[in-house]
């Protein structure tokens, strides 16, 4: 990664829901970006050799005793610094300004007026639209700062230090609701930090393939395939790097989407010519899930059976030294797995939860520095078909957490058919790439209906379709009524035992994307 890391920017995370989005926006400008703890030491910053620092937003108030701080010595390193929202407030407070609760809170779009010309705002219209999300604001700056912009209720919406390359924005340039945000971030990265844009996926591919060949040598690598894009791209990258030394294991747990097992066999067993091992284990998983309704217990049992099945098959593969996983950068961050990253509670279905140490493999995670959109682009470059590259995310426990209540073979098949209809109709309407995730959920309730001349008492299916940038927040999709009507009609007519379809119009938060 040496070439790619020549131009690096660090995001100091103060708890913002947008920290990952900031990093993604920086990478979209072809500059490598890494998220680190807000309290990273100035010495560690020097060791990482960044071209600049971005201080993220956050939920705290800077005047609270418990508010997160950064090492003040980082401001003495001479590096360009951009504070966003909380980050701007903290910078101004540290350098003699005053932050107070705003007389009027600002949430959402607002008009912004430039007060002065500066390279940070070069090319930005005198009157522009920005996205605000704050209840505190900088009420007063020291004479070290020059105000650069204002909104109707925020007289200091952007600032610049008179001597040092330190800047602040009260608004969020990383969100799409700030149309000129990319211009502002580009100005900071290129004009102020001096980056030229050396982060290229083709370079990542070449360097990663070379590094994998060197590390693996003559040994064998095992890769677990799930049908999702992360594991598929991991396997495709390894196939290019070590060829016949790669063995893939697909555990058919009976909880996958319609046609998923066949698609994996077709792509990796036939197209890539990979040594593919398919473990048929549906009955084992169903036995383990019998009578279980608690979502976390479902996840726990599925995890245990998966490990048993995977380990047994892996033991049959000779000379296997390495285990490859499709861990992504957000997984690493959210699990506390990044050395300098913010710590958080690990999710039960994250890849970084890993297989147990007693399997005695060395772990390979070739995608651990990439975001999902970068993984998709890499998959396309590696020659994976669109149906895999653009496949919607799928939870690790599979359909078990979309089959609310007890998981049985009959209920799973009902759900699988309904789910396939949802996807088929969204593809037919040309909306699959415009939706972030769409699926069916089988509810543990029945409702009265009338079919023909008969009264029925049958299952209810809920449809969930969302739009999301980063899956940390999400809004429900405004699917056309005619598409919803076709989905409902087909499910009721084609899926035996279902007589009612409902549409989930909950956003995240307060709801989650998955039902369990």
């Amino acid at each position: 990664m040496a070439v790619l890391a020549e131009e690096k920017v660090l995001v100091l995370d103060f708890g913002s829901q947008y920290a990952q989005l900031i990093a993604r926006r920086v990478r979209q400008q072809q500059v490598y970006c890494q998220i680190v703890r807000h309290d990273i030491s100035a010495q560690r910053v020097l060791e990482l050799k960044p071209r600049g620092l971005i201080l993220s937003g956050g939920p705290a108030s800077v005047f609270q005793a418990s508010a997160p701080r950064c090492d003040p010595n980082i401001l003495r390193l001479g590096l360009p610094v951009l504070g966003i929202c909380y980050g701007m407030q903290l910078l101004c407070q540290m350098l003699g300004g005053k932050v107070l609760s705003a007389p009027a809170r600002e949430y959402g779009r607002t008009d912004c007026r430039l007060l002065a010309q500066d390279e940070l705002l070069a090319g930005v219209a005198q009157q522009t639209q920005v996205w605000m999300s704050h209840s505190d604001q900088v009420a007063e700056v020291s004479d070290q700062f020059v105000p650069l912009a204002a909104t109707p209720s925020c007289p200091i919406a952007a600032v610049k230090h008179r001597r040092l390359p330190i800047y602040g924005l009260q608004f969020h340039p990383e969100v799409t609701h700030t149309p000129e945000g990319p211009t502002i971030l580009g100005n900071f990265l290129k004009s102020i930090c001096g980056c030229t844009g050396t982060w290229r996926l083709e370079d990542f591919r070449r360097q990663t393939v070379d590094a994998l060949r060197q590390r693996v040598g003559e040994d064998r690598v095992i890769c677990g395939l799930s049908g999702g894009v992360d594991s598929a791209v991991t396997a495709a990258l390894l196939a290019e790097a070590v060829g016949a030394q790669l063995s893939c294991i697909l555990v058919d747990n009976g909880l996958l989407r319609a046609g998923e097992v066949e698609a994996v066999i077709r792509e990796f067993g036939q197209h890539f010519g990979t040594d593919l091992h398919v473990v048929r284990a549906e009955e084992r998983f169903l036995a383990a899930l019998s009578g279980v309704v608690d979502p976390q217990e479902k996840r726990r049992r599925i995890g245990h059976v998966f490990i048993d099945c995977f380990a047994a098959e892996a033991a049959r593969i000779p000379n296997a030294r390495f285990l490859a996983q499709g861990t992504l950068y957000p997984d690493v961050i959210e699990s506390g797995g990044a050395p300098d990253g913010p710590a958080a509670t690990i999710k039960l279905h994250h890849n970084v939860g890993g297989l147990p140490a007693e399997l005695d493999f060395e772990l390979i995670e070739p995608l651990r520095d990439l975001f999902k959109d970068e993984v998709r682009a890499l998959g396309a470059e590696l020659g994976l078909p669109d149906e895999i590259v653009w496949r919607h995310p799928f939870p690790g426990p599979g359909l078990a957490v979309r089959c609310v209540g007890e998981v049985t073979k009959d209920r799973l098949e009902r759900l699988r058919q309904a789910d396939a209809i949802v996807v088929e109709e969204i593809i037919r309407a040309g909306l699959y790439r415009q939706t972030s995730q769409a699926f069916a959920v089988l509810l543990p309730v029945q409702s009265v209906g009338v079919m023909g001349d008969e009264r029925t008492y049958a299952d209810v299916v809920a449809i969930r379709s969302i739009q999301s940038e980063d899956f940390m927040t999400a809004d429900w999709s405004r699917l056309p009524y005619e598409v919803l009507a076709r989905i409902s009609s087909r499910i009721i007519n084609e899926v035996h035992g279902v007589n009612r379809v409902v549409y989930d119009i909950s956003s995240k938060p307060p709801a989650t994307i998955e039902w369990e």
Side-chain angles (χ1 to χ4, degrees):
M1 295 295 293
V3 173
L4 299 178
E6 280 182 1
E7 295 186 350
K8 178 192 299 180
V9 168
L10 304 181
V11 174
L12 278 63
D13 184 9
F14 289 89
S16 171
Q17 63 176 324
Y18 297 135
Q20 290 189 32
L21 187 54
I22 296 170
R24 286 179 56 219
R25 293 291 184 249
V26 171
R27 291 194 187 184
Q28 286 169 359
Q29 306 254 3
Q30 283 75 56
V31 176
Y32 184 71
C33 189
Q34 181 178 340
I35 299 175
V36 298
R37 295 178 58 89
H38 67 270
D39 56 357
I40 187 172
S41 70
Q43 179 58 41
R44 180 58 180 154
V45 169
L46 283 176
E47 292 170 2
L48 293 172
K49 299 179 181 178
R51 293 286 184 93
L53 307 175
I54 298 176
L55 277 56
S56 82
S61 294
V62 296
F63 43 77
Q64 295 174 338
S66 60
R69 311 282 173 183
C70 63
D71 182 348
N73 291 317
I74 67 171
L75 302 184
R76 303 187 181 101
L77 299 177
L79 291 169
V81 180
L82 174 64
I84 296 174
C85 197
Y86 179 92
M88 167 179 161
Q89 297 165 13
L90 182 61
L91 287 174
C92 289
Q93 185 194 60
M94 292 172 69
L95 295 170
K98 185 180 293 184
V99 179
L100 299 172
S101 293
R105 298 183 178 188
E106 271 190 315
Y107 293 102
R109 293 182 179 90
T110 189
D111 293 324
C112 182
R113 176 173 54 90
L114 303 193
L115 302 176
Q117 295 297 317
D118 184 81
E119 56 186 340
L120 179 68
L121 303 175
V124 176
Q126 190 70 28
Q127 296 281 347
T128 188
Q129 193 175 76
V130 298
W131 180 266
M132 289 285 196
S133 180
H134 67 101
S135 56
D136 302 333
Q137 64 186 35
V138 176
E140 183 181 310
V141 291
S142 68
D143 57 8
Q144 299 180 68
F145 282 98
V146 177
L148 296 178
T151 72
S153 58
C154 181
I156 306 175
V159 293
K160 170 192 176 181
H161 196 280
R162 292 183 186 276
R163 293 185 301 103
L164 303 173
I166 296 177
Y167 297 80
L169 299 171
Q170 183 57 66
F171 55 87
H172 290 270
E174 71 273 20
V175 301
T176 56
H177 305 301
T178 300
E180 298 192 88
T183 299
I184 297 170
L185 285 175
N187 289 338
F188 177 72
L189 296 170
K190 293 166 185 173
S191 299
I192 297 168
C193 296
C195 296
T196 57
T198 60
W199 171 245
R200 295 285 190 278
L201 276 178
E202 53 265 35
D203 293 332
F204 172 88
R205 173 185 176 181
R206 174 179 50 79
Q207 292 184 18
T208 302
V209 165
D210 290 344
L212 286 170
R213 285 174 181 158
Q214 184 173 356
R215 183 180 176 189
V216 172
E218 301 299 319
D219 294 307
R220 180 163 290 277
V221 183
I222 293 175
C223 179
L225 284 173
S226 67
V229 63
D230 304 340
S231 65
V233 173
T234 299
L237 196 59
L238 281 160
E240 180 171 299
V242 299
Q245 294 166 245
L246 172 66
S247 293
C248 292
I249 297 176
L250 170 64
V251 178
D252 180 6
N253 55 15
L255 306 173
L256 300 178
R257 289 170 284 197
E260 205 143 44
V261 173
E262 293 76 14
V264 171
I265 292 172
R266 182 171 59 250
E267 196 58 33
F268 288 93
Q270 299 171 13
H271 177 73
F272 283 103
T274 306
D275 176 36
L276 178 62
H277 300 241
V278 181
V279 181
R280 305 290 181 178
E282 178 183 28
E283 296 306 321
R284 288 191 62 181
F285 280 88
L286 287 176
L289 290 168
S290 178
V292 178
V293 296
D294 179 74
Q296 291 298 78
E297 182 63 17
K298 287 180 184 179
R299 292 178 185 273
R300 191 185 68 79
R301 294 195 182 198
I302 290 167
H304 281 309
V305 178
F306 174 82
I307 288 169
D308 289 344
C309 293
F310 193 97
E313 190 62 30
R316 298 188 182 97
I317 300 174
N319 304 318
R321 177 183 169 191
F322 297 96
L323 172 67
Q325 289 189 158
T327 307
L328 305 192
Y329 193 43
D331 299 334
V332 175
I333 296 166
E334 292 171 13
S335 66
D340 300 295
T345 303
I346 189 167
K347 296 180 181 178
L348 291 184
H349 60 277
H350 268 178
N351 286 334
V352 284
L355 292 167
E358 55 264 29
L359 288 185
D360 199 29
F361 290 114
E362 287 186 36
L363 190 61
I364 289 179
E365 297 173 310
L367 307 181
R368 66 180 284 119
D369 291 323
L370 301 185
F371 286 104
K372 178 73 80 172
D373 54 341
E374 294 170 322
V375 171
R376 293 191 193 280
L378 180 60
E381 191 173 300
L382 287 164
L384 287 171
D386 283 354
E387 66 181 88
I388 289 181
V389 170
W390 293 102
R391 182 166 291 166
H392 285 178
F394 191 57
L399 295 177
V401 291
R402 294 177 180 174
C403 188
V404 183
E406 185 177 5
V407 179
T408 67
K409 188 166 185 174
D410 286 345
R411 296 191 79 222
L412 281 171
E413 187 53 36
R414 205 166 296 151
L415 173 58
R416 190 176 287 110
Q417 291 178 36
D419 186 74
I421 290 170
V422 172
V423 174
E424 287 169 12
E425 288 300 331
I426 288 178
I427 291 174
R428 177 184 170 190
L431 298 172
Y432 191 75
R433 294 272 290 270
Q434 282 70 56
T435 53
S436 303
Q437 199 166 348
F439 54 91
V441 180
L442 185 64
L443 304 187
V445 295
Q446 293 188 312
S447 71
V448 174
V450 177
M451 289 185 168
D453 295 324
E454 295 184 0
R455 181 183 178 89
T456 62
Y457 194 57
D459 286 340
V460 179
V461 166
I463 306 305
R464 181 77 159 139
S465 181
I466 59 99
Q467 315 291 130
S468 180
E469 282 276 346
D470 53 14
F471 293 90
M472 298 178 72
T473 61
D475 195 12
W476 57 279
S477 305
R478 274 60 171 178
L479 294 179
Y481 289 158
E482 57 269 23
V483 174
L484 291 172
R486 283 199 302 270
I487 291 173
S488 175
S489 177
R490 283 194 60 194
I491 289 175
I492 291 171
N493 287 326
E494 297 176 28
V495 182
H496 180 73
V498 175
N499 68 358
R500 190 178 299 269
V501 173
V502 297
Y503 190 51
D504 182 348
I505 59 170
S506 310
S507 297
K508 175 188 179 183
T512 55
I513 295 173
E514 298 290 343
W515 275 53
E516 290 192 334

